[in-house]
Each structure stands twice: as C-alpha cells, then as structure tokens.
Amino acid sequence: MAKLFENFSFNTVGYEFESAIRSFRKSFELSRSALEADVEKIRADLEAYLAGDEFVGERTDEGDIIWEQDRIYEMDIEAAEDAVLELRRTYMIAIYHAWERAIRRQTKTDVHSHALLVEAAKKDHIEPLPELEKVSQLVNLLKHNNAKWAKKLLDSWPDVVTPGILGRRDGDYYSSVILTDDHIEEILRAAAASGPVGFPDRQP
C-alpha cells in the first residue's frame, strides 16, 4: 500500500488557492444570477404596468405628474444593473488579492508590488501569466481612483474602461470601469494558471 503514495505530494497553500478560485467562480455565478433575475422581474413588472390603464403615482392640483410608477421601476432597474457592475468590480479585486496572498504564502515573502511578486513566484517555479499585470493595474485603479492608473489601464486593457475615462471632470475614474462576465472568467483562468497548485506532481 505504501507504494501507492511513494511519489505523492500535497501543497496546502496551493490547494487552498485552487479551492478559493473554485469558490469565487461559483459564488460569482450565483450572485450575478440572483441580481439578473431581479432585473428581469422588475422589467416584467414595468411592462405589465405600461400595458395597463391604471395610473399609480401622484399629481399636482394642476394635473402635472410628480412621480409615476414606471419611473420607479426604471430607477430600480438602473440600481440593479449598477449592482451587477459593482459585483464584477468587487470580485475582480478579491480574485487578484487571493492570488497575491497565495504567492506571498507560497514564497514566504512580504513584497507587495506586482513585479516583485512575479519575480518571487518565478524563483519558486511558478510562472504567472503576463495578463495578470493589467489586472493589477485595474485593481489599483479601483482602489485608488486616480489618473495614473486610468492612463496605464487605457493603454494595457482599453476594453474594460470607457473611452473618455481621462476626460472625466468629476475625477470618478472608478465608475468608468465597465466589466463583463467574460472579464471575470478571464481573470479567474489567469489567476488559476498563475498560482501554486495543490498536487504539484500531477502537473504536466
């Protein structure tokens, strides 16, 4: 029986990281589905209201509309759609930070810059994908909301930001980050391929 485990190796850090990636994927899908279902329900309620004859709202004595139910539904849809965008931004940060922590634990280092983390990983025979550099820039933009990271991101990953991001007068670069489900899948795959693994002997 002992021979069955003769070449067996197990890396706790790697397994915990892989488990975290799986959990992120599942929890993101569940959360996104719930929010999207909420949007669809509100849309259905709006369509039903518009198809009906009943007025729900409030008018002035002169008959002008102060508020009406259709606008309430529209505002609720906007809020739910914004929540989906916010969910993606939050997961983007969480996934990248999980990769950072795994690399620090695996390499027993306390460096924080992306370049130094990549260097430490390579010394430990881990080859982070180049795509993670643009992810680190995105995370820095979301965390620090400044023009420095907005410009870097516009150069390295323009499809995750609105084209006019640098021209915003309000300085709200954060709101110019528009992520899709495909972007989340991209970072999940990149992070998974760039971190420690639970069973190193099973790797090609």
Side-chain angles (χ1 to χ4, degrees):
M1 181 66 70
K3 289 184 178 180
L4 292 176
F5 300 96
E6 187 175 349
N7 297 317
F8 177 85
S9 65
F10 177 72
N11 180 0
T12 301
V13 174
Y15 185 82
E16 289 177 352
F17 175 65
E18 290 174 327
S19 180
I21 293 297
R22 289 192 296 270
S23 295
F24 278 131
R25 176 176 277 108
K26 183 176 182 179
S27 63
F28 172 74
E29 290 173 353
L30 290 171
S31 300
R32 183 211 56 211
S33 295
L35 287 170
E36 289 179 347
D38 193 35
V39 171
E40 290 307 309
K41 181 183 182 306
I42 300 171
R43 288 189 189 282
D45 290 342
L46 172 60
E47 290 178 7
Y49 175 75
L50 293 175
D53 297 328
E54 181 184 4
F55 172 83
V56 177
E58 188 175 358
R59 299 179 186 272
T60 64
D61 293 338
E62 291 75 27
D64 296 323
I65 296 175
I66 299 175
W67 68 271
E68 188 177 356
Q69 185 63 50
D70 60 343
R71 181 53 187 151
I72 299 300
Y73 284 137
E74 289 169 357
M75 291 172 64
D76 287 344
I77 290 170
E78 291 170 8
E81 290 176 338
D82 284 345
V84 174
L85 289 176
E86 188 62 35
L87 179 74
R88 295 188 184 114
R89 295 175 187 133
T90 300
Y91 269 82
M92 182 69 72
I93 294 172
I95 295 163
Y96 180 75
H97 281 175
W99 175 81
E100 284 185 314
R101 290 192 298 273
I103 295 299
R104 290 195 192 100
R105 290 181 61 199
Q106 177 67 29
T107 61
K108 297 180 174 58
T109 184
D110 194 34
V111 296
H112 285 74
S113 81
H114 180 77
L116 291 178
L117 281 170
V118 169
E119 183 179 322
K122 288 182 175 180
K123 288 180 180 178
D124 205 79
H125 308 293
I126 298 171
E127 292 291 332
L129 296 182
E131 290 93 314
L132 281 185
E133 183 173 1
K134 66 183 183 182
V135 175
S136 74
Q137 294 171 356
L138 173 56
V139 170
N140 276 311
L141 174 59
L142 292 173
K143 288 169 57 180
H144 303 297
N145 189 45
N146 61 37
K148 168 189 171 182
W149 293 109
K151 186 176 187 311
K152 284 180 178 290
L153 199 60
L154 194 58
D155 292 336
S156 65
W157 205 2
D159 66 318
V160 300
V161 294
T162 57
I165 184 173
L166 294 178
R168 292 190 71 113
R169 294 185 178 181
D170 58 4
D172 186 11
Y173 305 109
Y174 181 99
S175 295
S176 291
V177 174
I178 308 298
L179 300 174
T180 66
D181 290 349
D182 287 341
H183 293 136
I184 298 301
E185 182 60 29
E186 183 177 352
I187 183 182
L188 282 167
R189 292 182 178 179
S194 302
V197 296
F199 298 93
D201 290 343
R202 294 183 184 177
Q203 301 305 301

